[in-house]
Amino acid sequence: MSKTWRPATQLVHGGTLRSQYGETSEAIYLTQGFVYDTSEAAEARFKGETDGYIYARYGSPTNDMFEKRMCMLEGAEDARATASGMAAVSAAILCQVKAGDHIVAARALFGSCRWVVETLAPKYGIECTLVDGRDLANWEQAIRPNTKVFFLESPTNPTLEVVDIAGVAKLANQVGAKVVVDNVFATPLFQKPLDLGAHIVVYSATKHIDGQGRCLGGVVLADKAWIDENLHDYFRHTGPAMSPFNAWTLLKGIETLPLRVKQQTQNAAKIADFLAEQGKVAKVIYPGRKDHPQADIIAKQMTGGSTLVAFELKGGKDAAFALQNALEIIKISNNLGDSKSLITHPATTTHKNLSEEARAELGISPGTVRLSAGIEDTDDLIEDFAKALAKVAA
């Protein structure tokens, strides 16, 4: 495959393996095991002396195609596809730390991501410090002699804060730590964490990569040496492998990723501008707007806005619920990155397990709403919001 191909071409043709039948679409290999011509061939395969598949928990042709296609898009040397986004996050972090090590993480994380570093890791003797990731000084001050991993989302869920990835990576390199970036909100089309100095990138492929509400999936991407040393054995022995059927579904989804994300981003930008002019809306946060608090960092590390919009209603939870309940086209869901426009109230769903104080620290108020823009007609979506806002008490 040509390294000069642009993303839209990579995502249709990258990493394709064809059987002797010459199928147009990628084949689904729904086998869990493989056979060998001889006992000697099996021995050589297990020793790693010959290439080939051993067991679907370790890898399969369909999963291999998905991993290679993601590597082309991300600019990574190697990848492992996982059963879900959280399987990818957990694997990327836990495979490289042990009791006595220390993790520094941005406090603005998806609820389950925060649970992994704040609750799960300490159960195994791994320390964690949460910081306000917007200020590089906070990352630097949190470093200890045993710091091994920096973990962050950018933009963050749900308030779309942005972290200076290059700045964090520079600090990590000074102490020999690895930077793990959850890049879901930016998508691999708008932000390249590895190019910015990060060491590992994770995705919930459930989101934009499938983007059509069909299946779960995740992926961890990094250089081959890191995966061989850290993730390979963890992956083989703990079993977070992706189903070949899901890998095939994701291969079909990724073909249209640029088309969908382009329309979603256009919709998100126009809806953000519309909401910013509404009297019942206290504030709007969108990475494509000049009034974003970190517009300078966005210009430096992102090539596009986002498919997500965060906004706050003046009337708090009651207003948020009234708005969501009055929408016709836009559906209430905790998912995002879908071809359908989806809306959620983070304080009562995705971030409900955080304390009220923790939510306040993150800027998640009772009136905060997160919109994931879909691919519908822009004017229809804006009209849907206009009609719903009219039903919200002033």
Side-chain angles (χ1 to χ4, degrees), residues 32-47 50-56 58 236:
Q32 76 271 55
F34 303 85
V35 299
Y36 314 93
D37 292 335
T38 65
S39 298
E40 289 79 8
E43 181 183 33
R45 188 82 56 84
F46 272 77
K47 283 184 175 180
T50 59
D51 292 332
Y53 301 102
I54 294 174
Y55 193 56
Y58 307 162
R236 284 176 64 120

Side-chain angles (χ1 to χ4, degrees), residues 189-222:
L189 298 172
F190 291 155
Q191 186 168 266
K192 303 287 189 184
L194 297 180
D195 290 347
L196 295 166
H199 305 95
I200 302 103
V201 181
V202 295
Y203 288 100
S204 170
T206 310
K207 309 304 188 292
H208 303 91
I209 293 168
D210 171 45
Q212 291 161 84
R214 300 172 299 187
C215 70
L216 299 175
V219 63
V220 183
L221 302 108

Side-chain angles (χ1 to χ4, degrees), residues 145-355:
N146 57 337
T147 300
K148 301 299 181 184
V149 173
F150 288 178
F151 176 50
L152 61 97
E153 299 172 2
S154 187
T156 62
N157 183 3
T159 54
L160 299 169
E161 294 177 4
V162 173
V163 177
D164 185 344
I165 297 173
V168 172
K170 183 177 179 181
L171 291 172
N173 288 333
Q174 292 172 0
V175 297
K178 298 296 184 183
V179 178
V180 180
V181 176
D182 182 336
N183 202 42
V184 167
F185 272 40
T187 82
L189 298 172
F190 291 155
Q191 186 168 266
K192 303 287 189 184
L194 297 180
D195 290 347
L196 295 166
H199 305 95
I200 302 103
V201 181
V202 295
Y203 288 100
S204 170
T206 310
K207 309 304 188 292
H208 303 91
I209 293 168
D210 171 45
Q212 291 161 84
R214 300 172 299 187
C215 70
L216 299 175
V219 63
V220 183
L221 302 108
D223 65 72
K224 190 175 186 306
W226 182 87
I227 286 182
D228 287 347
E229 181 180 347
N230 297 277
L231 184 58
H232 180 74
D233 285 343
Y234 178 99
F235 189 87
R236 284 176 64 120
H237 299 304
T238 63
M242 177 183 287
S243 157
F245 183 82
N246 285 18
W248 181 83
T249 305
L250 291 166
L251 281 164
K252 296 294 92 187
I254 205 171
E255 290 180 358
T256 60
L257 178 67
L259 299 173
R260 288 183 285 107
V261 168
K262 180 180 179 181
Q263 181 63 33
Q264 290 168 314
T265 304
Q266 289 177 353
N267 282 346
K270 291 182 179 179
I271 291 169
D273 289 343
F274 167 79
L275 291 171
E277 297 173 354
Q278 306 308 305
K280 297 174 184 178
V281 176
K283 66 177 178 180
V284 174
I285 305 174
Y286 181 68
R289 285 178 58 87
K290 294 180 180 179
D291 59 0
H292 190 286
Q294 297 142 303
D296 55 335
I297 299 175
I298 292 168
K300 182 174 64 174
Q301 69 185 31
M302 295 178 67
T303 59
S306 177
T307 66
L308 284 299
V309 180
F311 60 99
E312 182 179 347
L313 290 161
K314 293 178 180 178
K317 177 183 173 181
D318 289 345
F321 275 30
L323 172 74
Q324 292 188 161
N325 293 341
L327 291 165
E328 181 180 357
I329 299 170
I330 302 162
K331 305 304 180 186
I332 300 170
S333 175
N334 53 290
N335 197 21
L336 61 94
D338 199 275
S339 58
K340 298 177 178 67
S341 291
L342 305 174
I343 198 163
T344 192
H345 183 250
T348 55
T349 58
T350 57
H351 291 70
K352 75 176 184 62
N353 290 331
L354 297 180
S355 67

